[in-house]
Amino acid sequence: MEPEKFSSNSAKAIVSQFVGFLLDSYDLTMILGIAPALATVLLPPQSPLLASFSIILTYSLTIIFRPLGSAIFGNLGDKIGRRADLIITVLGLGIVSALTSALPTYASAGILSFILFVLIRIGVGIFAGGEYAAGHPFAMEWTPFKWRGLVSGIVQGGFSFGAALAAAVEGAFIGIYGITGVEQFAWRYIFLTTLIPAIIALAIRLTMKETPVFEDVKNRNAIRKTPFFDLFKMPYLKDFLQVLIYMTGMFFFAYSLFAFVPTILEHAPSAFSSNAGEAIFIYSLGTYAAFAGAVFFGALSQYVGRRRLTLIWAILTFMIAIPIYYLLIFSASVGNIALATLASIIIGIITQGPWGIIPIYLSERFKASMRASGVG
């Protein structure tokens, strides 16, 4: 049973998933943004470059362990319900990310500080995967059909908005305490801010009911014993593999904004490398453009169709991707803020805009009884 009208529960579900997805991106962007500061705190000082690389490599663990979290909590979301599952995941994601602020430094605990950091990143990855698995179905199942494209874009835009918010928060802390202050103590305060979106999302979810779609599955006694493993059985395997390949490509290019653009702006030959404020400003505008692009693509997909819009975007991206990155590198090297901002905005739109389709596309591809597992 799907909702026919846009209700207060629809609005709550959208805000809940927007904030939950924002939290995921907020955490990831913070790690990249203050990697040099964390390197000085958690690792020996002999090789700052190697230490920074180690922190970024640890960031990758968050990505690597997402599928495990999606498998665990996706399966759980199809058995106990989306709402209960999401209460667990947002609690876990907020608490584990905030625990970073309590880490001992290398000076006080030696290599144990970095080991604990690695374990925290694994935990963040597991809970973030769970947020994705149950969160998108939760929002989509509360949304009437005619609004799903727009809502899909808004929900997905939470990821880009989280990246922009993290960059702004980091810039504010650097402005208040300076790079030295962030390295000495303020990095702890930065990670404590992850509790704010977690508390907001949790408060909303506690006031909500389960989705009508899952209630219908439960009332029909259609809850599967092993929804995750059923994905690998016929007749569902073909669809699952097709979506898996598609999403692999989506993830490959998605991080070309969040991982590559800050690196290009903040390191030589970029003229902005000596002024973190300029680099953060340019990158932030790119992430805000990404948010707008996701909302636009999601809304447009309701009229053009998910598949056709994706094909159009893929062809355009193939034509302009390399020239746009050369424009970013060139403009950064000569210190042209206007051109670098233009390149950052275009990269934000072409890498994140099509993701506005993803929440509804994935939710539509899987049966309600295995939807959280399939999306995850």
Coordinates of all heavy atoms in Angstrom, one line a residue, residues 167-247:
A167 N 32.9 21.5 4.9 CA 33.9 22.4 4.5 C 33.7 23.7 5.1 O 34.7 24.4 5.6 CB 33.8 22.6 2.9
A168 N 32.5 24.2 5.3 CA 32.2 25.5 5.9 C 32.6 25.4 7.4 O 33.2 26.4 8.0 CB 30.7 25.8 5.8
V169 N 32.2 24.3 8.1 CA 32.6 24.2 9.5 C 34.1 24.1 9.7 O 34.6 24.8 10.6 CB 31.9 22.9 10.1 CG1 32.4 22.6 11.5 CG2 30.4 23.1 10.1
E170 N 34.8 23.4 8.9 CA 36.2 23.3 9.0 C 36.8 24.7 8.7 O 37.8 25.1 9.4 CB 36.8 22.3 8.0 CG 36.5 20.9 8.4 CD 36.9 19.9 7.3 OE1 37.3 20.3 6.2 OE2 36.9 18.7 7.5
G171 N 36.3 25.4 7.7 CA 36.8 26.7 7.5 C 36.6 27.7 8.7 O 37.5 28.5 9.0
A172 N 35.4 27.5 9.3 CA 35.2 28.4 10.5 C 36.1 28.0 11.7 O 36.6 29.0 12.3 CB 33.7 28.1 11.0
F173 N 36.4 26.8 11.9 CA 37.3 26.4 13.0 C 38.7 26.9 12.7 O 39.4 27.3 13.6 CB 37.3 24.9 13.2 CG 36.2 24.4 14.1 CD1 34.9 24.1 13.7 CD2 36.5 24.3 15.5 CE1 34.0 23.7 14.6 CE2 35.5 23.9 16.4 CZ 34.2 23.6 15.9
I174 N 39.1 26.8 11.4 CA 40.5 27.2 11.0 C 40.5 28.7 11.2 O 41.5 29.3 11.7 CB 40.8 26.8 9.6 CG1 41.0 25.3 9.5 CG2 42.1 27.6 9.1 CD1 41.1 24.8 8.0
G175 N 39.4 29.4 10.8 CA 39.4 30.9 11.0 C 39.5 31.3 12.4 O 40.1 32.3 12.8
I176 N 38.8 30.5 13.3 CA 38.8 30.9 14.8 C 40.1 30.5 15.5 O 40.7 31.3 16.2 CB 37.6 30.2 15.4 CG1 36.3 30.8 14.9 CG2 37.7 30.4 17.0 CD1 35.1 30.0 15.3
Y177 N 40.6 29.3 15.2 CA 41.7 28.7 16.0 C 43.0 28.7 15.2 O 44.1 28.5 15.8 CB 41.4 27.3 16.5 CG 40.2 27.2 17.4 CD1 39.0 26.7 17.0 CD2 40.3 27.7 18.7 CE1 37.9 26.7 17.8 CE2 39.2 27.6 19.6 CZ 38.0 27.1 19.1 OH 36.9 27.0 20.0
G178 N 42.9 28.9 13.9 CA 44.1 28.8 13.1 C 44.5 27.3 12.9 O 44.0 26.4 13.6
I179 N 45.4 27.0 11.9 CA 45.8 25.7 11.6 C 46.5 25.1 12.8 O 46.2 23.9 13.2 CB 46.8 25.7 10.4 CG1 46.1 26.1 9.1 CG2 47.4 24.3 10.3 CD1 45.1 25.2 8.6
T180 N 47.3 25.8 13.6 CA 48.0 25.3 14.7 C 47.0 24.9 15.8 O 47.1 23.9 16.4 CB 49.0 26.4 15.3 OG1 49.9 26.8 14.3 CG2 49.7 25.8 16.5
G181 N 46.0 25.7 16.0 CA 45.0 25.4 17.0 C 44.2 24.2 16.7 O 43.9 23.4 17.6
V182 N 43.9 24.0 15.4 CA 43.1 22.8 15.0 C 44.0 21.6 15.2 O 43.5 20.5 15.7 CB 42.8 22.9 13.5 CG1 42.2 21.6 12.9 CG2 41.7 24.0 13.3
E183 N 45.3 21.6 14.9 CA 46.2 20.5 15.1 C 46.4 20.2 16.6 O 46.5 19.0 16.9 CB 47.5 20.8 14.5 CG 47.5 20.8 12.9 CD 48.8 21.2 12.3 OE1 49.8 21.5 13.1 OE2 49.0 21.1 11.1
Q184 N 46.3 21.2 17.4 CA 46.6 21.0 18.8 C 45.4 20.4 19.6 O 45.5 19.5 20.4 CB 47.1 22.3 19.5 CG 48.5 22.6 19.0 CD 48.9 24.0 19.6 OE1 48.1 24.7 20.2 NE2 50.2 24.3 19.5
F185 N 44.2 21.0 19.3 CA 43.0 20.6 20.1 C 41.7 20.7 19.4 O 40.8 19.9 19.7 CB 43.0 21.4 21.4 CG 42.8 22.9 21.2 CD1 41.5 23.4 21.1 CD2 43.9 23.7 21.1 CE1 41.3 24.8 20.9 CE2 43.7 25.1 20.8 CZ 42.4 25.6 20.8
A186 N 41.6 21.7 18.5 CA 40.2 22.0 17.9 C 39.7 20.9 17.0 O 38.5 20.8 16.7 CB 40.3 23.3 17.2
W187 N 40.6 20.0 16.5 CA 40.1 18.8 15.7 C 39.1 18.0 16.5 O 38.2 17.4 15.9 CB 41.3 18.0 15.2 CG 42.1 17.3 16.3 CD1 43.1 17.9 17.0 CD2 41.9 16.0 16.8 NE1 43.6 17.0 18.0 CE2 42.8 15.8 17.9 CE3 41.0 15.0 16.6 CZ2 42.9 14.6 18.6 CZ3 41.1 13.8 17.3 CH2 42.0 13.6 18.3
R188 N 39.3 17.9 17.8 CA 38.3 17.2 18.6 C 36.9 17.8 18.6 O 35.9 17.1 18.5 CB 38.8 17.1 20.1 CG 40.2 16.4 20.2 CD 40.5 16.3 21.7 NE 41.8 15.7 21.9 CZ 42.1 14.4 22.0 NH1 41.1 13.6 21.8 NH2 43.3 14.0 22.2
Y189 N 36.9 19.1 18.6 CA 35.6 19.8 18.6 C 34.9 19.6 17.2 O 33.7 19.5 17.2 CB 35.8 21.3 18.8 CG 36.5 21.7 20.1 CD1 37.2 22.9 20.3 CD2 36.4 20.8 21.2 CE1 37.8 23.2 21.5 CE2 37.0 21.2 22.4 CZ 37.7 22.4 22.5 OH 38.3 22.7 23.7
I190 N 35.7 19.6 16.2 CA 35.2 19.4 14.8 C 34.4 18.1 14.7 O 33.3 18.1 14.2 CB 36.3 19.5 13.8 CG1 36.9 20.9 13.7 CG2 35.7 19.1 12.4 CD1 38.0 21.1 12.7
F191 N 35.0 17.0 15.3 CA 34.3 15.7 15.2 C 33.1 15.6 16.1 O 32.2 14.9 15.9 CB 35.3 14.6 15.5 CG 36.1 14.3 14.3 CD1 37.4 14.8 14.1 CD2 35.6 13.4 13.3 CE1 38.2 14.4 13.0 CE2 36.4 13.1 12.2 CZ 37.6 13.6 12.0
L192 N 33.1 16.4 17.2 CA 31.9 16.4 18.1 C 30.7 17.0 17.4 O 29.6 16.7 17.8 CB 32.3 17.2 19.4 CG 33.0 16.5 20.5 CD1 33.3 17.4 21.6 CD2 32.2 15.3 21.0
T193 N 30.9 17.8 16.4 CA 29.8 18.4 15.7 C 28.9 17.4 14.9 O 27.8 17.7 14.6 CB 30.2 19.5 14.7 OG1 31.1 19.0 13.7 CG2 31.0 20.7 15.4
T194 N 29.5 16.2 14.7 CA 28.7 15.2 14.0 C 27.5 14.7 14.9 O 26.5 14.2 14.3 CB 29.6 13.9 13.7 OG1 30.1 13.4 15.0 CG2 30.7 14.3 12.8
L195 N 27.5 15.0 16.2 CA 26.4 14.6 17.0 C 25.1 15.4 16.7 O 24.0 15.0 16.9 CB 26.8 14.8 18.5 CG 27.7 13.8 19.1 CD1 28.1 14.1 20.5 CD2 27.1 12.4 19.0
I196 N 25.3 16.6 16.2 CA 24.2 17.5 15.9 C 23.2 17.0 14.9 O 22.0 16.8 15.1 CB 24.6 18.9 15.5 CG1 25.5 19.6 16.7 CG2 23.5 19.8 15.2 CD1 26.1 20.9 16.3
P197 N 23.7 16.6 13.6 CA 22.8 16.0 12.7 C 22.2 14.7 13.1 O 21.1 14.3 12.8 CB 23.6 15.9 11.4 CG 25.0 16.0 11.8 CD 25.0 16.9 13.0
A198 N 23.1 13.9 13.8 CA 22.6 12.6 14.3 C 21.4 12.7 15.3 O 20.5 12.0 15.2 CB 23.8 11.9 15.0
I199 N 21.5 13.7 16.2 CA 20.4 13.9 17.1 C 19.1 14.4 16.4 O 18.0 13.9 16.7 CB 20.8 14.9 18.2 CG1 21.9 14.3 19.1 CG2 19.6 15.4 19.0 CD1 22.6 15.3 20.0
I200 N 19.3 15.2 15.4 CA 18.1 15.7 14.7 C 17.4 14.6 13.9 O 16.2 14.4 14.0 CB 18.6 16.8 13.6 CG1 19.1 18.1 14.4 CG2 17.4 17.2 12.7 CD1 19.7 19.1 13.5
A201 N 18.2 13.7 13.2 CA 17.7 12.6 12.5 C 17.0 11.6 13.5 O 15.9 11.1 13.2 CB 18.7 11.9 11.7
L202 N 17.6 11.4 14.6 CA 17.1 10.4 15.6 C 15.8 10.9 16.1 O 14.8 10.2 16.2 CB 18.1 10.2 16.7 CG 17.6 9.3 17.9 CD1 17.3 7.9 17.4 CD2 18.6 9.3 19.0
A203 N 15.7 12.2 16.5 CA 14.5 12.8 17.0 C 13.3 12.7 16.0 O 12.2 12.4 16.4 CB 14.7 14.3 17.4
I204 N 13.6 12.9 14.8 CA 12.5 12.8 13.8 C 12.0 11.3 13.6 O 10.8 11.1 13.6 CB 13.0 13.3 12.4 CG1 13.3 14.8 12.5 CG2 12.0 13.0 11.3 CD1 14.0 15.3 11.2
R205 N 13.0 10.4 13.6 CA 12.6 9.0 13.4 C 11.9 8.4 14.6 O 11.0 7.5 14.4 CB 13.9 8.2 13.1 CG 14.5 8.5 11.7 CD 15.9 7.9 11.5 NE 16.4 8.4 10.3 CZ 17.6 8.1 9.8 NH1 18.4 7.4 10.5 NH2 18.0 8.5 8.6
L206 N 12.1 8.9 15.7 CA 11.4 8.4 16.9 C 10.0 8.8 16.9 O 9.1 8.2 17.6 CB 12.1 8.9 18.2 CG 13.5 8.3 18.6 CD1 14.1 9.0 19.7 CD2 13.3 6.8 18.9
T207 N 9.6 9.9 16.2 CA 8.2 10.4 16.2 C 7.4 9.8 15.0 O 6.2 10.0 14.9 CB 8.2 11.9 16.0 OG1 8.7 12.3 14.8 CG2 9.0 12.6 17.1
M208 N 8.1 9.0 14.2 CA 7.4 8.5 13.0 C 6.9 7.0 13.1 O 7.3 6.3 14.1 CB 8.4 8.5 11.8 CG 8.8 9.9 11.4 SD 9.5 9.9 9.7 CE 8.2 9.3 8.7
K209 N 6.0 6.7 12.2 CA 5.5 5.3 12.1 C 6.3 4.6 11.0 O 7.1 5.2 10.3 CB 4.1 5.3 11.7 CG 3.2 6.0 12.8 CD 1.7 6.0 12.2 CE 0.8 6.7 13.2 NZ -0.6 6.8 12.7
E210 N 6.1 3.3 11.0 CA 6.7 2.5 9.9 C 6.0 2.8 8.6 O 4.9 3.3 8.6 CB 6.5 1.0 10.2 CG 7.2 0.0 9.2 CD 8.6 0.3 9.0 OE1 9.5 0.0 9.9 OE2 8.9 0.9 8.0
T211 N 6.7 2.6 7.5 CA 6.1 2.9 6.2 C 4.9 2.0 5.9 O 4.9 0.8 6.3 CB 7.2 2.7 5.1 OG1 7.4 1.3 4.9 CG2 8.4 3.5 5.4
P212 N 3.9 2.5 5.2 CA 2.7 1.7 4.8 C 3.1 0.5 4.0 O 2.5 -0.5 4.1 CB 1.9 2.7 4.0 CG 2.3 4.1 4.4 CD 3.8 3.9 4.7
V213 N 4.2 0.7 3.2 CA 4.6 -0.4 2.3 C 5.1 -1.6 3.1 O 4.7 -2.7 2.9 CB 5.7 0.1 1.3 CG1 6.3 -1.1 0.5 CG2 5.1 1.1 0.4
F214 N 5.9 -1.3 4.1 CA 6.5 -2.4 4.9 C 5.4 -3.0 5.8 O 5.3 -4.2 6.0 CB 7.6 -2.0 5.8 CG 8.2 -3.1 6.6 CD1 9.1 -4.0 6.0 CD2 7.9 -3.3 7.9 CE1 9.7 -5.1 6.7 CE2 8.4 -4.4 8.6 CZ 9.3 -5.2 8.0
E215 N 4.5 -2.2 6.3 CA 3.3 -2.7 7.1 C 2.5 -3.7 6.2 O 2.0 -4.7 6.7 CB 2.5 -1.5 7.6 CG 3.1 -0.7 8.7 CD 3.2 -1.5 10.0 OE1 2.6 -2.6 10.1 OE2 3.8 -1.0 10.9
D216 N 2.3 -3.3 4.9 CA 1.6 -4.2 4.0 C 2.3 -5.5 3.8 O 1.7 -6.6 3.8 CB 1.4 -3.5 2.7 CG 0.6 -4.3 1.7 OD1 -0.6 -4.7 2.0 OD2 1.1 -4.7 0.6
V217 N 3.6 -5.5 3.7 CA 4.4 -6.7 3.6 C 4.2 -7.6 4.8 O 4.0 -8.8 4.7 CB 5.9 -6.4 3.4 CG1 6.8 -7.6 3.5 CG2 6.1 -5.7 2.0
K218 N 4.3 -6.9 6.0 CA 4.1 -7.7 7.3 C 2.7 -8.3 7.4 O 2.6 -9.4 7.8 CB 4.4 -6.7 8.4 CG 4.5 -7.4 9.8 CD 5.1 -6.5 10.8 CE 4.3 -5.3 11.0 NZ 4.9 -4.5 12.2
N219 N 1.7 -7.5 7.0 CA 0.3 -8.0 7.1 C 0.0 -9.1 6.2 O -0.8 -10.0 6.5 CB -0.6 -6.8 6.9 CG -0.6 -5.7 7.9 OD1 -0.2 -6.0 9.1 ND2 -1.0 -4.5 7.6
R220 N 0.7 -9.2 5.1 CA 0.6 -10.3 4.1 C 1.4 -11.5 4.4 O 1.5 -12.4 3.7 CB 0.9 -9.8 2.7 CG -0.2 -8.8 2.2 CD 0.1 -8.5 0.7 NE 1.3 -7.7 0.5 CZ 2.4 -8.1 -0.1 NH1 2.5 -9.4 -0.4 NH2 3.5 -7.3 -0.2
N221 N 2.2 -11.4 5.6 CA 3.1 -12.5 6.0 C 4.1 -12.7 4.8 O 4.5 -13.9 4.6 CB 2.3 -13.7 6.3 CG 1.5 -13.6 7.6 OD1 1.9 -13.0 8.5 ND2 0.3 -14.2 7.5
A222 N 4.6 -11.6 4.2 CA 5.5 -11.8 3.1 C 6.9 -11.4 3.4 O 7.8 -11.3 2.6 CB 5.0 -10.9 1.9
I223 N 7.2 -11.3 4.7 CA 8.6 -11.0 5.2 C 9.4 -12.2 4.9 O 9.1 -13.4 5.3 CB 8.6 -10.7 6.7 CG1 7.9 -9.3 6.9 CG2 10.1 -10.6 7.2 CD1 7.8 -8.9 8.3
R224 N 10.5 -12.0 4.2 CA 11.4 -13.1 3.8 C 12.3 -13.5 5.0 O 12.7 -12.7 5.8 CB 12.3 -12.7 2.6 CG 11.5 -12.4 1.4 CD 12.4 -11.8 0.3 NE 11.6 -11.5 -0.9 CZ 11.4 -12.3 -1.9 NH1 12.1 -13.5 -1.9 NH2 10.7 -12.0 -3.0
K225 N 12.7 -14.8 5.0 CA 13.7 -15.3 6.0 C 15.1 -14.7 5.8 O 15.8 -14.4 6.7 CB 13.7 -16.8 6.0 CG 12.4 -17.4 6.5 CD 12.5 -19.0 6.6 CE 11.2 -19.6 7.1 NZ 11.3 -21.1 7.1
T226 N 15.5 -14.7 4.5 CA 16.8 -14.2 4.2 C 16.8 -13.3 3.0 O 17.2 -13.7 1.9 CB 17.8 -15.4 3.9 OG1 17.2 -16.2 2.8 CG2 18.0 -16.3 5.1
P227 N 16.2 -12.1 3.2 CA 16.1 -11.2 2.0 C 17.4 -10.9 1.3 O 17.4 -10.8 0.0 CB 15.4 -9.9 2.6 CG 15.7 -10.0 4.1 CD 15.7 -11.5 4.4
F228 N 18.5 -10.7 2.0 CA 19.8 -10.4 1.4 C 20.2 -11.5 0.5 O 20.6 -11.3 -0.7 CB 20.8 -10.1 2.4 CG 22.2 -9.9 1.9 CD1 22.5 -8.7 1.2 CD2 23.1 -10.9 2.0 CE1 23.8 -8.5 0.7 CE2 24.4 -10.7 1.4 CZ 24.7 -9.6 0.8
F229 N 20.2 -12.7 0.9 CA 20.6 -13.9 0.1 C 19.7 -14.2 -1.0 O 20.1 -14.7 -2.0 CB 20.8 -15.1 1.0 CG 21.9 -14.9 2.0 CD1 21.7 -14.7 3.4 CD2 23.3 -15.0 1.6 CE1 22.7 -14.5 4.3 CE2 24.3 -14.8 2.5 CZ 24.0 -14.6 3.8
D230 N 18.4 -13.8 -0.9 CA 17.5 -14.0 -2.0 C 17.8 -13.2 -3.2 O 17.4 -13.5 -4.3 CB 16.0 -13.6 -1.5 CG 15.5 -14.7 -0.5 OD1 16.1 -15.7 -0.4 OD2 14.4 -14.4 0.0
L231 N 18.6 -12.1 -3.0 CA 19.0 -11.3 -4.2 C 19.9 -12.1 -5.1 O 19.9 -11.8 -6.3 CB 19.8 -10.1 -3.7 CG 19.1 -9.0 -2.9 CD1 20.1 -8.0 -2.3 CD2 18.1 -8.2 -3.8
F232 N 20.6 -13.1 -4.6 CA 21.5 -13.9 -5.4 C 20.8 -15.1 -6.1 O 21.5 -16.0 -6.6 CB 22.7 -14.3 -4.6 CG 23.4 -13.1 -4.0 CD1 23.1 -12.7 -2.8 CD2 24.4 -12.5 -4.8 CE1 23.8 -11.6 -2.2 CE2 25.1 -11.4 -4.2 CZ 24.8 -10.9 -3.0
K233 N 19.5 -15.2 -6.0 CA 18.7 -16.3 -6.5 C 17.9 -15.8 -7.7 O 17.5 -14.7 -7.8 CB 17.8 -16.9 -5.5 CG 18.6 -17.5 -4.2 CD 17.6 -18.0 -3.2 CE 18.3 -18.4 -1.9 NZ 17.4 -18.8 -0.9
M234 N 17.6 -16.7 -8.6 CA 16.7 -16.4 -9.7 C 15.3 -16.3 -9.2 O 14.9 -17.0 -8.2 CB 16.8 -17.5 -10.8 CG 18.2 -17.6 -11.4 SD 18.7 -16.0 -12.2 CE 17.5 -16.0 -13.6
P235 N 14.5 -15.4 -9.7 CA 14.7 -14.6 -10.9 C 15.3 -13.2 -10.6 O 15.3 -12.3 -11.5 CB 13.3 -14.4 -11.5 CG 12.4 -14.4 -10.2 CD 13.1 -15.3 -9.2
Y236 N 15.8 -12.9 -9.4 CA 16.2 -11.6 -9.0 C 17.7 -11.3 -9.3 O 18.1 -10.2 -9.3 CB 16.0 -11.4 -7.5 CG 14.6 -11.9 -7.0 CD1 14.5 -13.0 -6.2 CD2 13.5 -11.2 -7.4 CE1 13.2 -13.4 -5.8 CE2 12.2 -11.6 -7.0 CZ 12.1 -12.7 -6.2 OH 10.8 -13.1 -5.8
L237 N 18.4 -12.4 -9.5 CA 19.9 -12.2 -9.7 C 20.2 -11.3 -10.9 O 21.1 -10.5 -10.8 CB 20.5 -13.6 -9.9 CG 22.1 -13.6 -10.1 CD1 22.7 -13.0 -8.9 CD2 22.6 -15.0 -10.3
K238 N 19.5 -11.5 -12.0 CA 19.8 -10.7 -13.2 C 19.7 -9.2 -12.9 O 20.6 -8.4 -13.3 CB 18.9 -11.1 -14.4 CG 19.2 -10.4 -15.7 CD 18.2 -10.8 -16.8 CE 18.5 -10.1 -18.0 NZ 17.6 -10.5 -19.1
D239 N 18.6 -8.8 -12.3 CA 18.4 -7.4 -12.0 C 19.4 -6.9 -11.0 O 19.9 -5.8 -11.1 CB 17.0 -7.2 -11.4 CG 15.9 -7.2 -12.4 OD1 16.2 -7.1 -13.6 OD2 14.7 -7.3 -12.1
F240 N 19.7 -7.7 -10.0 CA 20.7 -7.4 -9.0 C 22.1 -7.1 -9.7 O 22.7 -6.1 -9.4 CB 20.8 -8.5 -8.0 CG 22.0 -8.2 -7.0 CD1 21.9 -7.3 -6.0 CD2 23.1 -8.9 -7.1 CE1 22.9 -7.0 -5.1 CE2 24.2 -8.7 -6.2 CZ 24.1 -7.8 -5.2
L241 N 22.5 -8.0 -10.6 CA 23.8 -7.8 -11.2 C 23.8 -6.5 -12.1 O 24.8 -5.8 -12.1 CB 24.2 -9.0 -12.0 CG 24.5 -10.3 -11.2 CD1 24.7 -11.5 -12.1 CD2 25.7 -10.1 -10.2
Q242 N 22.7 -6.3 -12.8 CA 22.7 -5.1 -13.6 C 22.8 -3.8 -12.8 O 23.6 -2.9 -13.2 CB 21.4 -5.1 -14.4 CG 21.3 -4.0 -15.5 CD 20.6 -2.7 -14.9 OE1 19.7 -2.8 -14.1 NE2 21.1 -1.6 -15.4
V243 N 22.1 -3.8 -11.7 CA 22.1 -2.6 -10.9 C 23.5 -2.5 -10.2 O 24.0 -1.4 -10.1 CB 21.0 -2.7 -9.8 CG1 21.2 -1.6 -8.8 CG2 19.6 -2.6 -10.4
L244 N 24.1 -3.6 -9.9 CA 25.4 -3.6 -9.2 C 26.5 -3.0 -10.2 O 27.3 -2.1 -9.7 CB 25.8 -5.0 -8.9 CG 27.2 -5.2 -8.2 CD1 27.2 -4.5 -6.8 CD2 27.6 -6.7 -8.1
I245 N 26.4 -3.4 -11.4 CA 27.4 -2.8 -12.4 C 27.2 -1.3 -12.6 O 28.1 -0.5 -12.6 CB 27.3 -3.6 -13.7 CG1 27.7 -5.0 -13.6 CG2 28.1 -2.9 -14.8 CD1 27.4 -5.9 -14.7
Y246 N 25.9 -1.0 -12.7 CA 25.5 0.4 -12.9 C 26.0 1.3 -11.7 O 26.7 2.3 -11.9 CB 24.0 0.5 -13.0 CG 23.5 1.9 -13.0 CD1 23.8 2.9 -14.0 CD2 22.5 2.3 -12.1 CE1 23.3 4.1 -14.0 CE2 22.0 3.6 -12.1 CZ 22.4 4.5 -13.0 OH 21.9 5.8 -13.1
M247 N 25.8 0.8 -10.5 CA 26.2 1.6 -9.3 C 27.7 1.6 -9.1 O 28.2 2.6 -8.6 CB 25.5 1.0 -8.1 CG 24.0 1.2 -8.0 SD 23.5 2.9 -8.1 CE 24.3 3.6 -6.7

